[in-house]
Each structure stands twice: as C-alpha cells, then as structure tokens.
Amino acid sequence: MTQEIYIGLSAHRLETIPFYEKAFMASDFIILEDAPHPLFSLMVLGQMKAEEYVQSLETDFPKFMTAQCQLIQAAYKQGKKIVQIDPYIEKLIQMYQLLEEGKTAEEIKQIPEFTEVYNAEHEATGELINYYQATMGKFEEAVAAVLAFAQADAKRIALRDKMRAEKIVQYLQNKAGKIFVEAGYIHIFLASFLQKIMPLNWQIKSSFLLAKPARKLAKTILHKPLPYPLVPGDILTFWYIGRNKITPARANILAART
C-alpha cells in the first residue's frame, strides 16, 4: 500500500481558502493542525453551525476558521476522513486545565507526560518576556533578546513537530490513500521529522499553499521569486530549527531587522 502525504504550509488567512479547498478535495484523509476539540465532530457532521463552533474556539482568526470549517463540512460530505492532531497543543491545554483546578506549575512540571512540553513552553515564554523588557532598553540588548527567544522558540517548534509527526504516523497505520496535513508555515521541518520515522512505502512532499501567488508578488516587488514572505524573525528561527550553522554577523542582522 502506497501512501501519499502532502503537507500544506500556510497561515490563517482568508486568501488561502481556495487553496485549502483544492487540497481537501484531492485527499482521502485530512489532518488538521488542531488539538482535538469536544465539539468538532458535531460541527463536521453538520449538527452544529460552523459559526457556532468557531465562537466556542475564541480564535484570533474567526473569518478564516469559519470558512475553513465550511470547507471541512463539505469535504466530509464527499467522504473525506478528517481528524485533528497536535499533541503539543493538546498537552498545553491540559496543563492550563490543571492550573485552573488548583495544581501548581511545579506540580505539573513533575508529571512525566507534561515535563518536556512544560520546559519548552516555560523557556520560550521566559525569553519572550525578556525580549519585551529589553525593547525598553538599549538596542543591542533587544537584539540579544531576539536571538535568545528565536533559539528557545526553535526548540519549542521542533518538539511540537516531532510530537506531531509521531502521532500522525500512529494515526496512519493500516491506512492508505492521499493524505493532506495542515501546518503553519513556520513548521517547514515537519516533513523532515516525518521522513525519519515513516515507512518506506510513504511518499511525502510539502509546499506553501500560497507559493504561486507569493512568488508572483515577490517577483513584482523584489524582482525575484520567493515562496513565502521574507520575515527576518522567521528566517532566523528556521536556521535554529534546522540546526544549521549561521554566522554571528548574519544572526545579528536578522535579529536587528526583527
């Protein structure tokens, strides 16, 4: 049995919806970048309106999520299998629930199933706070803080990709067909994590959903084609996730531009 996996890298923008639709309809299985939600199945079955489901999410991208949910409902009617897989975010939600129940952060940290996620989140959040504070001081201090946060964020993203890849492989056991995997554009190394643990009969590819229009726009403005926007902070994070060697001068320039 041959499995074809396509990772569609994107952002939560309404402009991506037509590209999502094309990817959904070309797939047998759709794996969304979400932690499992108790109301998801009701929305998929059409027993809950997309708008009502999105309201329960408290999302920062309500228009995008509503349009995507409507696509999901249409895809389900076409016989597509749809599932939410993001174990890192799932663990994070569970930790917040434990805090609300009265558990302390130190107690949660000591629970084996949460330790790795807790440490990654704690370090990245701490460096982000340090960055906010550093922006009130000297420029050089802010640059150093950007570098520190990018490295901590890269560790967090790499862990999230690793955990998600493992869960995806587990889900796809004994399944065959064309699989679409949704991923934020910062997760360009998800394919690498999948490649390391996937069976030999799996074929995997990934690309930016908006690659074609982005290249056209970049060529018009920058006079060279690019598959995604050149955001200095993201590029710096890419370097750290991939554990590629980057010169201090190059890293400082990207951090300063951020």
Side-chain angles (χ1 to χ4, degrees), residues 13-86:
R13 300 186 62 88
L14 277 174
E15 292 90 341
T16 64
I17 291 299
F19 299 88
Y20 269 103
E21 183 177 18
K22 183 178 180 180
F24 280 9
M25 295 307 165
S27 305
D28 301 303
F29 297 88
I30 298 168
I31 300 177
L32 301 172
E33 190 182 46
D34 298 309
H37 192 283
L39 299 177
F40 181 72
S41 60
L42 293 178
M43 182 276 294
V44 173
L45 292 170
Q47 297 174 9
M48 172 181 276
K49 291 183 179 180
E51 294 83 357
E52 293 178 16
Y53 175 72
V54 171
Q55 286 177 2
S56 73
L57 301 178
E58 297 182 1
T59 177
D60 292 332
F61 310 98
K63 291 184 178 180
F64 166 81
M65 290 300 299
T66 299
Q68 189 193 52
C69 286
Q70 290 168 346
L71 281 184
I72 289 169
Q73 291 172 330
Y76 176 78
K77 290 180 180 179
Q78 293 292 323
K80 315 297 181 181
K81 305 298 182 183
I82 307 165
V83 65
Q84 297 172 306
I85 296 180
D86 196 337

Side-chain angles (χ1 to χ4, degrees), residues 49-229:
K49 291 183 179 180
E51 294 83 357
E52 293 178 16
Y53 175 72
V54 171
Q55 286 177 2
S56 73
L57 301 178
E58 297 182 1
T59 177
D60 292 332
F61 310 98
K63 291 184 178 180
F64 166 81
M65 290 300 299
T66 299
Q68 189 193 52
C69 286
Q70 290 168 346
L71 281 184
I72 289 169
Q73 291 172 330
Y76 176 78
K77 290 180 180 179
Q78 293 292 323
K80 315 297 181 181
K81 305 298 182 183
I82 307 165
V83 65
Q84 297 172 306
I85 296 180
D86 196 337
Y88 184 100
I89 299 301
E90 188 175 359
K91 295 290 184 188
L92 196 59
I93 292 171
Q94 291 170 355
M95 287 193 294
Y96 279 119
Q97 290 172 339
L98 288 174
L99 285 171
E100 291 176 357
E101 293 170 6
K103 287 279 189 181
T104 66
E106 190 60 33
E107 287 174 329
I108 295 172
K109 179 183 178 181
Q110 300 305 320
I111 302 174
E113 65 176 297
F114 296 125
T115 301
E116 200 172 21
V117 172
Y118 176 91
N119 288 335
E121 198 67 23
H122 181 73
E123 182 181 358
T125 302
E127 293 298 350
L128 181 60
I129 293 172
N130 290 338
Y131 163 69
Y132 289 146
Q133 294 173 338
T135 57
M136 304 301 291
K138 295 181 180 179
F139 182 73
E140 291 78 6
E141 294 172 349
V143 169
V146 170
L147 293 171
F149 170 69
Q151 292 179 60
D153 197 31
K155 291 179 184 178
R156 173 171 59 176
I157 293 168
L159 175 60
R160 185 176 171 184
D161 287 347
K162 175 177 175 292
M163 292 175 64
R164 192 162 186 243
E166 292 170 349
K167 195 71 177 281
I168 288 172
V169 170
Q170 181 183 355
Y171 169 74
L172 290 176
Q173 285 184 355
N174 302 319
K175 293 182 176 68
K178 294 183 177 181
I179 298 112
F180 171 76
V181 178
E182 178 190 30
Y185 70 91
I186 198 70
H187 298 283
I188 60 172
F189 289 97
L190 177 60
S192 299
F193 283 101
L194 272 172
Q195 197 75 50
K196 292 176 182 178
I197 59 175
M198 66 194 303
L200 294 177
N201 63 322
W202 287 18
Q203 298 176 357
I204 183 171
K205 68 175 183 177
S206 65
S207 68
F208 295 87
L209 288 182
L210 290 177
K212 187 174 180 179
R215 283 193 177 99
K216 183 177 180 180
L217 187 62
K219 189 173 182 180
T220 301
I221 298 173
L222 303 175
H223 306 294
K224 57 181 178 180
L226 297 168
Y228 57 89

